Amino acid sequence: MGRPLETKTPLKKIYIGALFPMNGTAGWVGGQGCLPAAQMALEDVNKDLTLLSGYELDLNWNNSQCDPGLAATILYDLIYRPPKKPIILGGCSIVCSGIAETAKMYNLVVVGYGSSSPALSNRYRFPTFFRTHPSATIHNPTRVKLFKKFRWSRISIILEAEEVFVTTGKDLETRCKEADIEILTRVSFLDDPTEAVKSLSRQGARIIIGMFYAEPARKVMCEAYKAGLFGKQYVWFLIGWYDPSWFHPTPNINCTMNEMRKVVEGHFTTEALMINQGYDKTIAGITAQEWVVRYENELKKYKQYFPFGSNKPQEGSQEAPLAYDAIWAIALALNKTIAILSQKGLSLDSFDYESPTVMNVIKSELQKVQFPGVSGYVAFNDIGDRISWTLIEQMVDGEYRKLGYYDTVTDNLTWIDKEVWIVGGRPPKDRTEVVQSLQTVNNALFISLSVVSAIGILMAVSLICFNYRFSNCRYIQMSNPATNNLMLIGCILCFISVVLFGLGGQDVGGLHNVLIVCNARAFCLSIGFSLFFGAMFAKIWYCHLLHTQSKRKEINIYLQKINNNHIYIMILGFCSIDLIILSVWFLKDPIKMDVKTFPLMDPDINVDEDIKIQPCIEHCEANFLWYGILFGYKGLLLLFGLFLSYETRSVKLKQLNDSRLVGMSIYNVVILCLITGPVSQVIEDQVNAHFAFIALAIIFCCFLTMALVFVPKIVELVRIRSGPNSGINGSGINGTFHETMTSREEEERFNRLSLENQELKEKISEKEKQIEEIKSKIEVMAKQQQELRKSEESKQLCVKRKAVRIQEPDGQDGDVIEQLSNTNVDPVSDSGFVSNRNSRPSDFEFSESYL
Ligand code: ABU
């Protein structure tokens, strides 16, 4: 390359319209670093006499402030103000997008030196656009390579809502999906990243890819500090073209330097390699390293564009080689274009905004440009993009340290330094490891209540044996022992259900077996309750029946006989209803095994790992409808039982000598069930409390009932055996709770007396009826006599001194008296009743009136 120095006067100027973002409130202000490089290139190109014969390049540049609106105005100025500019040099992506889309309408070629947006690779939208800056998508294969290297399979993305980052983010998502890497979340923001950062925190992001310009990057990192998204559990991936001191707080950043340093420490960056790594001479005639020295010297001339008090550009030093090479690429393309046009009898002066002729030649020659640039080998692919290596860096102690390079084309990762990890020298996890902690019943609690239940089962079995052993004893017979035995079997089933309530998956060899336990638990408790409570209910119901019947028929309740079959049928009925409900339930909508989880908790011990504990419990999942049916039916039984117990609270039955104790047991059971049912539902999630509550309620119900029903019997039997007339068939009476018949003779005598009493009552009512009849007859006779007397007196007036005679009663009346005298009453009976007709008041009345 190069040409011998010779005089080139007079030279025509080829104007290049250029936009450099020299300052601004957002976006990339890399014009500060790129303008000096572009001017260097311009100088070099113009010095090269082998190029652009008869022409020299001139840069007509403006400050775009990386603002698309301002850039549009500048573009129209460049177009409509002479001289004509066949090529436009563009800066940041958001500016290039705007001008490149417009430029095609004016047959302008646009070359970007600082635009990384993948959107600019759209040849349909930007047909005349070329760039020396590689597309930002070049970061993505590198990022995916690193995710794989560090074994991360879940990442999160936060990006500024600009086309350059949105398209890069989409490309990253696609590549991650292809590599089986999950995108936990992708959040974006316009100006204020606060909510987006909070969202990352809420969603448990650990590996976070940030895509934004330098100014928003400061805001994001400050918010990340506030949200606690830094430290051993977090890894940030940022863009690598920020200035090395980009994280230093600026006036609009509400974080201290120390806080910013904490949050950026350890983050990774990826960036396209923008400086030639070789030691060969570049298009500048010197090596890239020599060029850098020259460039740094050149910067001194541009101090006025740098932030106040700084000798260095705020941004753009990295991209400076790209700007340098961009000018060279334009020069080389124009050089060829001049030759081609001259062959066609045209020149660059023929360029016209309305005609594509010159533009087509320039575009075609740019496409073919290839040279060893300061930024690396310069060549454009079909869509006008640069292909390059990427550089991976990490911030260690506030400074970037080169870790390696990645060549996307050959998939070659060169790792030159060891990355630094805060904890344990290894990468953190890409997510919080959730360790499930199955909450089971405390062993001591389970064992102690199981032992109590086992004792309960033993006691119930012993009491069944007791009933059997003393089945000949009249006192036991009178308590309906068969029903009591059913009640005890119910108790046994309930005690078994206590043990089943405390069993978990690990006790029965896996979750699938818990399902069997769930079903067995429902069966035992349901049938057990029906036997236990059903037996008591049947007794009390029978007691109530006898009591009400005896009242109605006015016969003594002691005369009724208990029909055991009725009681059995009733208990069987209760159990059958249970079985029907349980069968339909199990067949139609079986219980399912479910593991219920609770909010995550920190581990008890302080571990370095990113671990959270998730408590969970095994849960028998059933449709609430079935619980409703079962509980509803049993609830009604409980309430009805309670009513019957209350109604029969003072009834004493010879046939059921323990009916009042059964009534008391029913009160206890009802109260405990009514408390336990709802409370157990409320504390369902507290495994130990739930088990303890249910188990104690069952145990208490069963033990109390067994004690109430059987202790008096045992005491009585002991008393009978130790008394003067000892023997199990003795006639002792338990005066404390029953006045029952104690001997067969007494019972027979009582029955006899009752019968006599009944007969006498019937006779009395018969006699009272007869008396009423006689009274009415006497009244009739008395009237007749009065009439007779009156007629006599009138006769006496007519016939003085006539003899007076007393009228005798007629034959019918004599019959009545005879009937009375013949009244047949047992003169002496068991009751001591003696009939005494002479003393009957009706007889006296009759005699007086007659006289
Ligand atoms: N390396 C600077 C890229 C700036 C931009 O694409 O807008």
Side-chain angles (χ1 to χ4, degrees):
M1 285 282 164
R3 60 178 178 174
L5 280 169
E6 57 186 63
T7 316
K8 285 207 311 179
T9 52
L11 294 176
K12 286 187 195 167
K13 285 190 189 288
I14 306 170
Y15 291 97
I16 299 172
L19 294 98
F20 287 96
M22 303 305 284
N23 53 24
T25 49
W28 179 67
V29 289
Q32 290 178 25
C34 289
L35 177 63
Q39 296 286 21
M40 275 167 71
L42 207 70
E43 232 176 77
D44 292 351
V45 164
N46 286 337
K47 263 193 227 159
D48 193 334
L49 297 177
T50 60
L51 284 177
L52 308 171
S53 124
Y55 290 94
E56 68 175 353
L57 290 183
D58 196 356
L59 209 58
N60 194 337
W61 75 271
N62 289 272
N63 179 5
S64 71
Q65 296 181 24
C66 196
D67 176 346
L70 179 60
T73 316
I74 293 168
L75 179 68
Y76 287 115
D77 269 356
L78 289 171
I79 292 170
Y80 289 110
R81 281 178 203 224
K84 287 182 183 164
K85 293 110 195 162
I87 292 184
I88 302 288
L89 191 65
C92 63
S93 293
I94 49 180
V95 161
C96 277
S97 301
I99 60 170
E101 217 164 11
T102 313
K104 70 183 177 195
M105 309 296 176
Y106 293 89
N107 296 306
L108 276 168
V109 169
V110 179
V111 178
Y113 58 88
S115 40
S116 61
S117 172
L120 290 164
S121 302
N122 183 341
R123 249 328 181 211
Y124 180 74
R125 223 176 121 194
F126 310 104
T128 62
F129 181 74
F130 293 84
R131 54 180 161 181
T132 48
H133 196 303
S135 164
T137 51
I138 203 146
H139 298 240
N140 293 338
T142 316
R143 287 169 178 148
V144 171
K145 188 79 185 170
L146 293 179
F147 301 155
K148 290 275 177 199
K149 178 178 166 65
F150 299 134
R151 298 180 193 281
W152 293 321
S153 59
R154 183 195 271 178
I155 61 147
S156 307
I157 301 172
I158 177 168
L159 48 89
E160 189 183 349
E162 290 289 0
E163 192 181 38
V164 47
F165 305 118
V166 173
T167 45
T168 311
K170 276 187 186 156
D171 180 72
L172 179 59
E173 273 188 41
T174 313
R175 287 173 196 270
C176 281
K177 267 183 202 144
E178 282 165 10
D180 247 0
I181 292 167
E182 179 195 349
I183 307 290
L184 173 66
T185 181
R186 188 177 74 152
V187 291
S188 59
F189 62 91
L190 266 172
D191 293 316
D192 183 4
T194 312
E195 286 311 313
V197 172
K198 279 184 185 162
S199 168
L200 287 179
S201 171
R202 270 197 304 275
Q203 297 186 59
R206 291 289 181 271
I207 313 302
I208 307 164
I209 320 306
M211 298 176 195
F212 20 71
Y213 284 117
E215 177 63 26
R218 275 188 285 277
K219 289 186 190 167
V220 170
M221 297 322 278
C222 180
E223 289 306 323
Y225 177 82
K226 291 177 191 164
L229 290 179
F230 68 98
K232 60 183 182 184
Q233 295 171 355
Y234 301 89
V235 180
W236 283 86
F237 273 75
L238 302 180
I239 294 170
W241 40 256
Y242 305 147
D243 174 63
S245 58
W246 66 270
F247 57 90
H248 293 194
T250 47
N252 58 341
I253 296 296
N254 197 13
C255 285
T256 63
M257 181 66 181
N258 204 23
E259 290 167 346
M260 290 299 278
R261 279 197 65 161
K262 270 189 191 167
V263 71
V264 296
E265 182 63 21
H267 80 266
F268 288 80
T269 63
T270 51
E271 185 48 282
L273 215 51
M274 296 178 196
I275 185 88
N276 199 323
Q277 298 296 300
Y279 294 96
D280 295 337
K281 283 200 173 162
T282 64
I283 189 99
I286 48 176
T287 64
Q289 290 69 34
E290 288 164 345
W291 182 90
V292 172
V293 177
R294 191 183 144 201
Y295 168 72
E296 279 170 2
N297 272 329
E298 197 74 13
L299 285 178
K300 289 173 194 151
K301 297 183 201 161
Y302 295 87
K303 264 187 171 180
Q304 79 259 31
Y305 299 114
F306 305 156
F308 182 73
S310 173
N311 289 327
K312 281 182 168 182
Q314 189 183 331
E315 278 182 301
S317 344
Q318 280 190 63
E319 290 84 356
L322 302 174
Y324 184 85
D325 287 347
I327 296 290
W328 269 101
I330 291 169
L332 292 172
L334 286 176
N335 192 42
K336 288 272 170 137
T337 306
I338 292 165
I340 292 167
L341 288 176
S342 78
Q343 283 168 15
K344 291 182 183 176
L346 295 168
S347 74
L348 275 177
D349 302 332
S350 325
F351 172 76
D352 197 289
Y353 293 125
E354 275 83 44
S355 162
T357 314
V358 176
M359 181 273 287
N360 280 338
V361 181
I362 298 173
K363 185 182 157 189
S364 147
E365 290 314 308
L366 254 179
Q367 190 75 60
K368 291 179 202 154
V369 156
Q370 289 190 8
F371 63 93
V374 176
S375 62
Y377 197 79
V378 179
F380 300 106
N381 65 9
D382 291 347
I383 49 174
D385 280 352
R386 278 285 299 277
I387 298 155
S388 79
W389 283 29
T390 42
L391 167 68
I392 302 139
E393 292 181 310
Q394 188 185 23
M395 182 160 280
V396 181
D397 294 330
E399 285 183 358
Y400 282 111
R401 183 190 284 182
K402 279 190 181 65
L403 291 183
Y405 300 95
Y406 181 60
D407 183 358
T408 319
V409 180
T410 59
D411 186 28
N412 181 25
L413 181 69
T414 315
W415 211 242
I416 53 173
D417 201 354
K418 185 92 185 85
E419 71 279 9
V420 175
W421 302 109
I422 297 176
V423 170
R426 60 192 153 78
K429 293 197 168 74
D430 61 2
R431 67 199 75 192
T432 303
E433 193 184 337
V434 176
V435 178
Q436 289 221 327
S437 158
L438 189 66
Q439 307 290 294
T440 52
V441 176
N442 177 280
N443 271 348
L445 182 69
F446 174 65
I447 292 170
S448 50
L449 289 180
S450 295
V451 167
V452 176
S453 298
I455 293 170
I457 292 171
L458 279 178
M459 279 179 64
V461 172
S462 311
L463 291 173
I464 292 171
C465 296
F466 168 84
N467 271 342
Y468 178 75
R469 165 74 182 80
F470 298 106
S471 56
N472 295 331
C473 172
R474 186 161 182 74
Y475 185 65
I476 296 300
Q477 283 172 354
M478 288 298 178
S479 68
N480 204 321
T483 311
N484 284 347
N485 284 346
L486 288 178
M487 185 189 80
L488 290 168
I489 292 170
C491 279
I492 292 171
L493 285 174
C494 290
F495 282 129
I496 291 172
S497 76
V498 168
V499 182
L500 293 175
F501 266 108
L503 288 178
Q506 83 280 17
D507 305 310
V508 291
L511 277 184
H512 53 284
N513 289 339
V514 178
L515 206 57
I516 300 169
V517 173
C518 289
N519 289 330
R521 190 188 291 171
F523 176 84
C524 282
L525 192 60
S526 198
I527 300 292
F529 178 86
S530 286
L531 286 172
F532 167 65
F533 188 77
M536 294 197 287
F537 180 91
K539 269 189 171 186
I540 216 75
W541 173 79
Y542 215 88
C543 174
H544 185 263
L545 192 75
L546 292 183
H547 175 59
T548 47
Q549 272 185 359
S550 69
K551 266 203 216 163
R552 236 189 349 265
K553 292 181 181 170
E554 292 187 342
I555 57 169
N556 195 292
I557 58 173
Y558 292 101
L559 296 178
Q560 297 295 307
K561 282 265 184 285
I562 284 190
N563 187 342
N564 275 346
N565 288 342
H566 290 165
I567 290 187
Y568 300 150
I569 288 168
M570 184 178 282
I571 298 170
L572 197 72
F574 293 147
C575 293
S576 306
I577 294 172
D578 272 346
L579 281 175
I580 291 167
I581 296 172
L582 290 172
S583 309
V584 179
W585 177 4
F586 292 170
L587 291 175
K588 284 210 87 176
D589 187 12
I591 295 176
K592 289 178 201 76
M593 195 52 228
D594 182 37
V595 175
K596 197 170 173 183
T597 53
F598 298 96
L600 297 177
M601 295 189 327
D602 288 323
D604 290 341
I605 42 167
N606 204 3
V607 284
D608 279 341
E609 298 285 335
D610 191 0
I611 291 175
K612 289 267 180 198
I613 304 294
Q614 177 156 54
C616 58
I617 55 168
E618 288 160 350
H619 180 63
C620 299
E621 180 72 39
N623 192 328
F624 204 73
L625 172 80
W626 300 107
Y627 284 128
I629 293 172
L630 212 59
F631 288 163
Y633 146 63
K634 293 202 184 295
L636 285 177
L637 208 64
L638 283 168
L639 290 178
F640 195 42
L642 187 71
F643 165 75
L644 292 178
S645 303
Y646 179 77
E647 284 288 297
T648 56
R649 63 195 177 282
S650 52
V651 175
K652 297 169 189 170
L653 283 181
K654 169 178 70 79
Q655 299 92 327
L656 282 173
N657 59 11
D658 56 2
S659 64
R660 293 174 78 187
L661 295 171
V662 168
M664 282 167 68
S665 299
I666 286 178
Y667 291 146
N668 293 322
V669 173
V670 172
I671 289 164
L672 275 168
C673 287
L674 291 182
I675 294 169
T676 309
V679 174
S680 68
Q681 291 296 313
V682 173
I683 58 169
E684 197 185 23
D685 296 342
Q686 297 162 41
V687 182
N688 286 323
H690 184 247
F691 170 68
F693 199 76
I694 290 186
L696 285 174
I698 294 173
I699 288 169
F700 190 67
C701 272
C702 293
F703 270 106
L704 197 69
T705 303
M706 288 195 297
L708 273 173
V709 174
F710 285 95
V711 168
K713 291 182 178 59
I714 295 165
V715 169
E716 183 61 19
L717 282 179
V718 170
R719 202 186 66 76
I720 291 168
R721 291 190 123 191
S722 58
N725 303 321
S726 64
I728 55 167
N729 289 324
S731 58
I733 295 171
N734 182 352
T736 55
F737 68 105
H738 277 301
E739 296 91 18
T740 55
M741 306 305 294
T742 54
S743 74
R744 202 170 287 280
E745 297 82 52
E746 276 182 339
E747 189 187 339
E748 281 167 6
R749 184 167 167 265
F750 185 85
N751 288 345
R752 215 168 41 245
L753 280 169
S754 300
L755 274 172
E756 278 176 13
N757 187 32
Q758 190 63 29
E759 282 168 18
L760 286 173
K761 276 182 180 171
E762 282 168 11
K763 280 176 186 169
I764 287 166
S765 64
E766 197 181 312
K767 292 299 162 198
E768 280 173 348
K769 229 195 262 172
Q770 286 176 350
I771 289 166
E772 286 303 314
E773 281 172 15
I774 290 166
K775 269 184 176 174
S776 58
K777 280 180 184 169
I778 288 170
E779 273 173 22
V780 172
M781 283 167 65
K783 273 183 189 168
Q784 283 174 352
Q785 275 219 316
Q786 256 184 340
E787 280 168 13
L788 204 64
R789 255 189 222 132
K790 278 179 188 167
S791 67
E792 281 298 317
E793 279 171 7
S794 61
K795 273 180 190 172
Q796 276 177 356
L797 285 172
C798 299
V799 186
K800 290 182 179 174
R801 304 262 178 226
K802 212 175 176 181
V804 177
R805 77 178 173 90
I806 299 169
Q807 175 116 22
E808 290 280 336
D810 63 21
Q812 208 181 358
D813 296 332
D815 288 347
V816 172
I817 292 170
E818 197 176 42
Q819 274 177 14
L820 279 169
S821 65
N822 289 341
T823 303
N824 212 3
V825 177
D826 282 353
V828 178
S829 72
D830 268 337
S831 60
F833 168 78
V834 179
S835 69
N836 187 354
R837 62 182 167 153
N838 295 332
S839 63
R840 291 178 74 98
S842 54
D843 291 353
F844 285 121
E845 277 169 23
F846 170 77
S847 307
E848 277 171 12
S849 62
Y850 190 75
L851 287 168

